[in-house]
Amino acid sequence: MFLKQTGKTQPSTDTRLQPWVEKYRPQSIDEVSAQEHTVAVLKKALTSTNLPHMLFYGPPGTGKTSTILALARELFGPQNFRSRILELNASDERGISIVREKIKTFARQTPRRTPEDSAYPCPPYKIVILDEADSMTQDAQGALRRIMETHSRITRFCLVCNYITRIIEPLASRCSKFRFTPLSSSATLSRLEHIAASESIAVSPQAFKALITTSDGDLRRSITYLQSAARLSLSVSSTGARPITPADIQEIAGTVPDPVVLRFLAALGVDPPPGSDDAMDVDGDESAFIKPPRVTGFNGVRDVVKEIMRAGYSTAQLIIQIHDVMIHHPILTSRQKAQCALIFAEADKALNDGGDEELQLLEVGMRVHKALL
Amino acid sequence: MSLWVDKYRPRTLDALHYHKELSERLASLAASGDFPHMLFYGPSGGGKKTRIACTLRELFGPGVEKLKIDQRVFETPSKRKLDVNIVQSNFHIEITPSDVGIYDRVVIQEILKEIAQTQQVDLSAKQRFKVVIINEADSLSRDAQAALRRTMEKYMSNMRIILCANSTSKLIAPIKSRCLLMRVAAPSEVEMEAALRHVAKEEKFDLPDNACEEIIKDSGGNLRKALLVLEALKMQSFTRFISNINIAKPDWESYCGKVAELIIQKQTPDQLYELLSHCIPPTVVLKTIADRVVDMVDESLKGDIMHWAAFYEVRMRIGSKKIFHLEAWVIKVMSLQKHMYYGVDLTGVGFETVANVQQFIMEVLDGGIVQIVGGAICGRNMKGRFVAEL
């Protein structure tokens, strides 16, 4: 629920209904969590009011869009924000015709002179933000090349993307690049705590931990999960307050509960890694899963697979989680792990090609089982 | 008279037989006014649709049950006309965009924009927003999902989306993170028994224990199937439920069983084509036959057979001619079995067997090329696509 606010959307919508990712989007560049290096460089640019073309890249939810929006807000202030910024979300408006018409006309306009008494630096250029630029076609990117150069006196471009390799080389070389790293767990935690405090909801440390592990470094995802969890706990708590538990978070995130994963692994012949007992205590309600019966062999695996399919868990998600457990497993040999990694890779490809979930899970199960014999 | 499945479908959240906790959550979400986008997922026959319908009723009152069916025509950018069936009430609209294949994006964009731009005019309506239910969301194309992503953010004030899918594997992450995920697991045996007994009680007949057990075992967690079987059995036995029952399987299922037997005993997969020509989805055919075959063979072969089933199933999706891959798999199974019983090694030694299989592939490929590369047989069809490999 990452409402890309272009300034055109009316801010009058009820804040209660507003997604928290939008509500708690950083308003100034100092507020941006982590990314110290990028922030330091940009602040320098802010004081000198001379900005290069920029290319922000990094995994989702690391604050790329937030940073550029905050920067623009600090440069131009709320009044000029609208006229100086063109934000294009490449997910629906892309293609060469948009570049030729919309971007070119905007880039061509000379910005209006700003009043002297403005509190903001308001430098004499405009910014074009191209969000999700990696989904732009090669042609569209090619059309940008010349526009970027001819109008560089009055227009700066900021490309935001996940994969820098999808940006054509001539564009990338015209920009100064900023890499956004996944957020460390402490940075995520402090942001989440801040939000929980301002929304006055009670979240246990374990729940925070679950939030951080399920979202691995993606702040937007963890905030969305937090909001969903809060929504659920609030709506149930009409009868009595119910704190947010790690199990809630896991259910919302669509991850498979640990007992189920361990049970599947047990059927494959993998002993639960030591130290996972505390994880099993957390979800005490699914007691049916806790005692793994030691049936192995084909039928054992098939039964567990059938059971998992009946419970409706997603194979792709399960494979990710099995992978996490097995790669860090202390007892398995490197050779076994290597073989398993190959199996997972093949299964992931097969699932992406549209393979049947049950067959693929069975396939993974049987092959891992064989590899561990 | 309607089928029991529809007749005894619970209409309200309170009447649902199982997953009480889920129902409570849904009820309180509907009451809270802050209703999110939702994604229901779980195996078929687990009650996803029923729960969605109940939630809608909770949201809007009994008005949602006044349904009308519309046929709408959409036009793609390339001027192609698409007919889509739409079920709608005053408060919600239900579409199955995957009906139109790769043009699902057009339908999604048109319908959602239309809904999103019209506000609720009925002042007495309980909620300001309309609900769009998208069935079979996991077969939506990537483009359609990307189109959804933007609309879900933009029009949150006028519209909520409820997605209904069998699994979340094929949904892109941005969609998943925008929805509240609701997992609807298949009912356990106890829960199914309760539901069956409830129907039996309403219909005023006694359901013998063994019949009940048999039905539940046969249905594999699919309550819809269980209820249909129950009704069929009741019709057969008219007045009184006979205790030794014989659950009639659908034609295709017994057919699959037969093919599986043939594969094992006579080593001919004659009837595969017949199954396909009766519009049984090839994946289902493959899975059912594989399931049967596995029950009949030696333990050491089971893993391999399933491995190749998974392998050819993916090939089937990527390739264009389903029967090639099904037959390739059957050959694979037969050769595995031969290898096992007669110790025939297909890689070069038992050349007569190789010749037989080769001839078979020739027929399958019908004009394609069969090569023997380093002792392995490779079949390529006209386009050069790999279809069989032994």
Side-chain angles (χ1 to χ4, degrees):
Chain A
M1 276 168 235
F2 217 27
L3 271 173
K4 302 279 155 53
Q5 266 192 341
T6 52
K8 279 171 211 156
T9 44
Q10 65 280 31
S12 62
T13 43
D14 192 353
T15 50
R16 200 176 58 98
L17 296 178
Q18 215 180 5
W20 290 355
V21 273
E22 202 52 49
K23 201 166 159 189
Y24 294 99
R25 198 188 272 287
Q27 294 301 309
S28 74
I29 220 167
D30 296 310
E31 274 181 60
V32 175
S33 300
Q35 323 300 353
E36 291 81 9
H37 178 69
T38 312
V39 168
V41 174
L42 287 177
K43 271 173 102 173
K44 207 164 258 166
L46 201 63
T47 47
S48 69
T49 68
N50 190 16
L51 212 60
H53 293 306
M54 287 172 296
L55 174 58
F56 288 2
Y57 66 102
T62 48
K64 299 179 294 297
T65 313
S66 299
T67 307
I68 185 64
L69 285 179
L71 179 74
R73 204 168 285 123
E74 280 194 26
L75 274 177
F76 302 115
Q79 269 124 32
N80 291 315
F81 187 81
R82 266 180 177 203
S83 60
R84 293 294 185 89
I85 297 289
L86 175 70
E87 196 198 346
L88 281 182
N89 192 310
S91 70
D92 60 345
E93 329 165 58
R94 57 185 150 188
I96 196 158
S97 59
I98 292 288
V99 172
R100 288 210 180 114
E101 290 156 23
K102 217 166 170 179
I103 299 184
K104 211 170 175 180
T105 30
F106 182 81
R108 223 187 266 149
Q109 292 161 359
T110 315
R112 219 182 310 157
R113 189 176 246 267
T114 47
E116 301 285 312
D117 56 342
S118 168
Y120 298 94
C122 224
Y125 51 76
K126 309 175 302 290
I127 297 183
V128 178
I129 303 172
L130 292 171
D131 214 342
E132 290 159 46
D134 40 5
S135 64
M136 284 171 78
T137 59
Q138 295 259 329
D139 289 348
Q141 290 186 33
L144 267 183
R145 286 163 65 168
R146 200 65 195 135
I147 302 179
M148 272 172 92
E149 278 182 350
T150 45
H151 303 289
S152 65
R153 206 174 46 79
I154 46 172
T155 309
R156 298 285 186 277
F157 280 82
C158 179
L159 305 179
V160 179
C161 65
N162 292 133
Y163 306 102
I164 195 172
T165 43
R166 302 249 180 93
I167 303 291
I168 57 171
E169 188 49 37
L171 272 195
S173 69
R174 281 175 175 79
C175 304
S176 54
K177 303 183 189 93
F178 294 93
R179 194 168 86 90
F180 283 69
T181 47
L183 266 73
S184 64
S185 40
S186 60
T188 316
L189 181 65
S190 66
R191 193 73 191 154
L192 288 178
E193 272 172 348
H194 166 71
I195 292 174
S198 15
E199 290 289 331
S200 62
I201 46 173
V203 186
S204 65
Q206 288 93 347
F208 273 130
K209 206 176 137 213
L211 271 175
I212 291 164
T213 46
T214 48
S215 61
D216 35 45
D218 183 341
L219 187 59
R220 167 174 41 189
R221 220 161 82 192
S222 53
I223 295 178
T224 320
Y225 290 159
L226 180 64
Q227 184 174 19
S228 303
R231 216 179 241 153
L232 275 183
S233 80
L234 279 182
S235 55
V236 177
S237 71
S238 52
T239 50
R242 206 179 62 105
I244 296 169
T245 63
D248 283 342
I249 308 275
Q250 287 200 330
E251 184 74 38
I252 287 164
T255 53
V256 183
D258 292 339
V260 181
V261 177
L262 293 180
R263 190 174 132 81
F264 183 60
L265 284 174
L268 304 188
V270 185
D271 293 316
S276 64
D277 300 318
D278 53 343
M280 290 174 85
D281 287 340
V282 168
D283 310 61
D285 46 282
E286 303 206 30
S287 51
F289 285 115
I290 282 187
K291 270 266 172 328
R294 301 286 313 204
V295 223
T296 49
F298 179 80
N299 286 334
V301 176
R302 184 159 75 155
D303 290 347
V304 177
V305 167
K306 283 238 157 86
E307 199 176 301
I308 289 174
M309 282 296 123
R310 275 183 66 160
Y313 294 113
S314 127
T315 302
Q317 181 63 38
L318 187 61
I319 290 179
I320 293 172
Q321 284 179 260
I322 299 171
H323 167 265
D324 288 352
V325 175
M326 290 192 66
I327 292 303
H328 298 297
H329 203 285
I331 300 163
L332 301 177
T333 62
S334 321
R335 196 186 167 76
Q336 286 171 329
K337 286 182 186 174
Q339 272 171 331
C340 292
L342 283 177
I343 298 168
F344 295 146
E346 271 173 39
D348 185 62
K349 164 80 174 122
L351 280 174
N352 242 336
D353 285 337
D356 184 77
E357 303 240 317
E358 190 176 341
L359 281 177
Q360 288 305 327
L361 191 59
L362 193 57
E363 158 89 350
V364 168
M366 282 318 294
R367 289 183 65 188
V368 170
H369 184 54
K370 220 159 141 194
L372 298 185
L373 277 182
Chain B
M1 206 184 84
S2 58
L3 290 172
W4 289 357
V5 181
D6 294 321
K7 200 168 159 192
Y8 296 108
R9 189 187 292 276
R11 302 265 181 262
T12 59
L13 285 172
D14 305 332
L16 290 167
H17 283 102
Y18 50 94
H19 297 331
K20 290 281 179 216
E21 203 182 319
L22 189 63
S23 312
E24 260 171 47
R25 278 186 174 189
L26 287 173
S28 50
L29 274 176
S32 72
D34 179 18
F35 193 76
H37 297 303
M38 284 215 252
L39 166 59
F40 283 79
Y41 67 104
S44 56
K48 297 183 293 291
K49 284 277 194 58
T50 311
R51 273 168 185 75
I52 293 175
C54 293
T55 314
L56 283 180
R57 199 191 144 101
E58 191 79 20
L59 272 173
F60 297 105
V64 279
E65 279 166 25
K66 280 188 201 128
L67 294 174
K68 66 177 183 203
I69 297 175
D70 236 358
Q71 192 166 45
R72 291 272 302 272
V73 181
F74 295 95
E75 200 173 78
T76 63
S78 54
K79 304 282 175 217
R80 214 187 124 113
K81 295 251 178 0
L82 308 169
D83 287 325
V84 180
N85 283 320
I86 293 174
V87 179
Q88 61 178 350
S89 75
N90 281 338
F91 308 101
H92 83 286
I93 187 163
E94 196 176 330
I95 46 176
T96 313
S98 49
D99 283 352
V100 288
I102 57 164
Y103 298 108
D104 50 359
R105 188 174 59 94
V106 183
V107 176
I108 291 252
Q109 282 176 338
E110 295 274 321
I111 291 237
L112 292 194
K113 267 189 198 140
E114 183 190 303
I115 299 269
Q117 285 163 2
T118 51
Q119 283 212 338
Q120 181 63 265
V121 277
D122 187 359
L123 285 177
S124 60
K126 273 191 182 170
Q127 309 287 348
R128 286 282 308 282
F129 54 82
K130 271 193 171 189
V131 173
V132 179
I133 299 173
I134 299 177
N135 290 324
E136 291 172 38
D138 42 359
S139 45
L140 286 179
S141 65
R142 293 243 154 170
D143 276 352
Q145 292 187 37
L148 208 57
R149 175 178 169 182
R150 200 69 179 116
T151 351
M152 280 167 95
E153 297 166 337
K154 248 173 160 172
Y155 303 114
M156 184 88 183
S157 55
N158 288 356
M159 173 183 70
R160 296 292 186 280
I161 293 175
I162 296 182
L163 298 163
C164 184
N166 278 335
S167 157
T168 56
S169 290
K170 287 182 194 103
L171 289 169
I172 57 175
I175 299 269
K176 276 189 273 185
S177 72
R178 282 177 180 84
C179 294
L180 186 55
L181 270 65
M182 288 282 170
R183 185 171 58 86
V184 184
S188 70
E189 296 191 355
V190 184
E191 289 161 343
M192 284 184 86
E193 192 179 337
L196 289 180
R197 295 224 177 272
H198 168 76
V199 170
K201 205 175 128 204
E202 294 284 316
E203 282 288 320
K204 300 196 179 60
F205 66 88
D206 268 340
L207 183 60
D209 284 344
N210 60 343
C212 184
E213 228 167 79
E214 198 67 24
I215 293 173
I216 290 169
K217 224 170 74 197
D218 183 66
S219 67
N222 188 334
L223 190 57
R224 173 172 44 226
K225 194 172 164 190
L227 282 174
L228 286 171
V229 169
L230 179 69
E231 183 167 5
L233 282 179
K234 181 74 175 67
M235 290 298 145
Q236 277 169 14
S237 56
F238 296 109
T239 47
R240 200 173 53 83
F241 233 97
I242 13 169
S243 44
N244 58 333
I245 51 158
N246 182 14
I247 294 177
K249 292 229 163 75
D251 272 353
W252 64 269
E253 247 188 272
S254 42
Y255 227 86
C256 281
K258 242 184 256 166
V259 175
E261 271 165 34
L262 280 175
I263 290 173
I264 297 299
Q265 287 160 4
K266 293 193 197 146
Q267 309 253 318
T268 50
D270 277 344
Q271 288 157 319
L272 276 178
Y273 207 83
E274 190 133 342
L275 278 170
L276 285 185
S277 64
H278 281 86
C279 288
I280 310 294
T283 305
V284 177
V285 173
L286 181 65
K287 266 171 84 174
T288 325
I289 297 181
D291 236 27
R292 295 289 153 77
V293 171
V294 158
D295 284 337
M296 287 186 274
V297 298
D298 190 77
E299 171 79 23
S300 60
L301 283 181
K302 290 179 177 178
D304 281 340
I305 289 177
M306 279 331 247
H307 166 70
W308 291 109
F311 180 84
Y312 283 111
E313 202 266 336
V314 177
R315 285 271 174 102
M316 210 153 67
R317 302 261 177 162
I318 304 172
S320 55
K321 194 81 179 152
K322 314 287 184 205
I323 187 81
F324 286 172
H325 304 279
L326 271 178
E327 287 187 343
W329 174 72
V330 170
I331 296 170
K332 194 83 208 176
V333 171
M334 295 193 307
S335 76
L336 275 173
Q337 220 204 352
K338 273 229 170 84
H339 182 89
M340 152 97 187
Y341 281 122
Y342 310 120
V344 179
D345 192 354
L346 278 175
T347 52
V349 190
F351 210 79
E352 270 171 60
T353 331
V354 174
N356 285 340
V357 179
Q358 189 179 2
Q359 198 172 2
F360 193 91
I361 301 181
M362 284 285 211
E363 284 165 23
V364 170
L365 298 176
D366 194 22
I369 314 154
V370 175
Q371 300 168 307
I372 299 184
V373 187
I377 305 176
C378 304
R380 287 169 194 276
N381 66 8
M382 300 297 251
K383 288 174 200 154
R385 187 180 284 134
F386 233 69
V387 291
E389 181 188 11
L390 283 163

